[in-house]
Amino acid sequence: MSQINSLREQIKPYQQALYEHSINSFIKSQSDLTLFMQHHVFAVWDFMSLVKKLQAELTCVSQPWVPKGSAEVRFLINEIVLGEESDVDQHGVIISHFELYLGAMKELSIEASPILGDFLQATSIEEILQKVTASSVAPSIKQFLTFTFESINNRPIEEIAAIFTFGREDLIPGMFQLIVDQLKQDAPKQVETLVYYLERHIEVDGDHHSQLAYQMMEELCGTDADKWQRATNAAIESLQVRKVLWDGIVTKR
């Protein structure tokens, strides 16, 4: 069995706990949708910092430019960044997935927490961590964000890549498919942008980006058993903290 397949086998129980989580059938009313999006928007946002950390570490983003690392890895991460940071909305307008999500919230008259706006003013990871600690966001959100940004600050790149690949890209599309099916039956015009966001996430992240991320993991870990074990542990932790976030939503109802 290849190393990446071994990793995927080891994290299956943790993924299964999320596939079977009550969050998958949670959205049954406007208030449920509001609660979900007001929590989940933080996960959409912090995901972008994981993406940019990978780009900063695996490609050259300074001047003068010099070749950095594997050209194959540079290609993989730059393609992922392009899709996440500069995708298109349903009208063909270039937009990031985070901004698309905010647009979906606005269309639904769902206000994002002012605390998110405060986080967006931070100019360093250290400042974000301080703001998260001092904020009044739900404990589940606080734990989730702290895990992400402490990982960005302190973990080796193969662990950050595993959090990105298996805690996010490899998991979310399958869960979102259930939500898309549900939303299409309830006020489809009102949720047009959200449904587009979810379907785009499934189309891009659930297939193409997942395969690119698997290739990136193989390039980063190679045949180093210690790297693969650390990556596996980081992936498991990311799935556990994702469950904390989902628990925090369903218990708020």
Side-chain angles (χ1 to χ4, degrees):
M1 180 184 294
S2 71
Q3 294 277 26
I4 197 159
N5 286 335
S6 175
L7 185 159
R8 294 175 71 181
E9 281 297 314
Q10 291 180 67
I11 68 176
K12 271 186 178 179
Y14 303 94
Q15 289 181 317
Q16 194 62 32
L18 291 170
Y19 292 138
E20 296 173 357
H21 197 283
S22 55
I23 193 71
N24 289 304
S25 57
F26 174 77
I27 302 173
K28 296 178 179 177
S29 67
Q30 178 67 38
S31 61
D32 292 340
L33 180 59
T34 296
L35 180 60
F36 175 83
M37 296 191 75
Q38 286 177 333
H39 278 67
H40 183 242
V41 67
F42 288 96
V44 178
W45 168 64
D46 80 330
F47 177 77
M48 296 303 299
S49 289
L50 284 170
V51 174
K52 299 304 284 187
K53 174 67 173 181
L54 290 170
Q55 186 181 40
E57 292 295 320
L58 300 174
T59 75
C60 181
V61 293
S62 59
Q63 300 78 42
W65 180 87
V66 294
K68 183 177 182 180
S70 160
E72 180 74 11
V73 171
R74 293 198 302 266
F75 171 80
L76 296 172
I77 191 59
N78 281 332
E79 184 164 343
I80 291 170
V81 169
L82 180 64
E84 295 293 338
E85 195 172 35
S86 307
D87 201 1
V88 293
D89 68 11
Q90 64 269 42
H91 308 295
V93 176
I94 296 174
I95 192 170
S96 71
H97 284 184
F98 172 67
E99 291 165 306
L100 185 61
Y101 198 87
L102 289 180
M105 293 181 72
K106 184 177 181 181
E107 185 176 82
L108 288 154
S109 301
I110 297 174
E111 292 188 11
S113 168
I115 297 172
L116 177 60
D118 183 46
F119 291 168
L120 291 172
Q121 299 303 310
T123 57
S124 69
I125 300 298
E126 291 79 7
E127 185 180 355
I128 288 175
L129 285 167
Q130 291 171 1
K131 285 178 177 287
V132 169
T133 299
S135 74
S136 60
V137 294
S140 56
I141 297 173
K142 189 172 292 191
Q143 185 174 340
F144 184 84
L145 293 177
T146 298
F147 171 80
T148 297
F149 289 107
E150 285 187 347
S151 295
I152 288 172
N153 237 15
N154 302 314
R155 289 179 182 262
I157 195 63
E158 65 271 9
E159 294 183 29
I160 296 171
I163 292 167
F164 168 85
T165 301
F166 299 102
R168 309 301 180 87
E169 301 291 271
D170 195 42
L171 170 68
I172 295 302
M175 189 205 77
F176 272 168
Q177 185 61 62
L178 300 174
I179 295 174
V180 166
D181 294 341
Q182 190 166 313
L183 291 177
K184 281 182 174 178
Q185 299 175 27
D186 181 24
K189 290 185 178 179
Q190 189 182 6
V191 296
E192 177 188 353
T193 301
L194 178 59
V195 169
Y196 176 84
Y197 166 84
L198 297 177
E199 290 181 334
R200 189 66 178 157
H201 203 80
I202 292 165
E203 177 186 354
V204 176
D205 299 338
D207 183 16
H208 186 52
H209 282 184
S210 286
Q211 294 305 315
L212 292 177
Y214 295 160
Q215 293 176 49
M216 178 175 65
M217 289 300 306
E218 290 175 331
E219 288 278 343
L220 290 175
C221 294
T223 59
D224 190 321
D226 288 339
K227 286 185 177 181
W228 279 111
Q229 188 57 59
R230 289 197 301 270
T232 300
N233 294 341
I236 290 171
E237 287 181 61
S238 69
L239 294 167
Q240 290 173 323
V241 79
R242 170 68 66 162
K243 184 177 182 300
V244 168
L245 184 65
W246 291 161
D247 289 344
I249 297 174
V250 299
T251 57
K252 278 277 189 179
R253 177 184 277 167

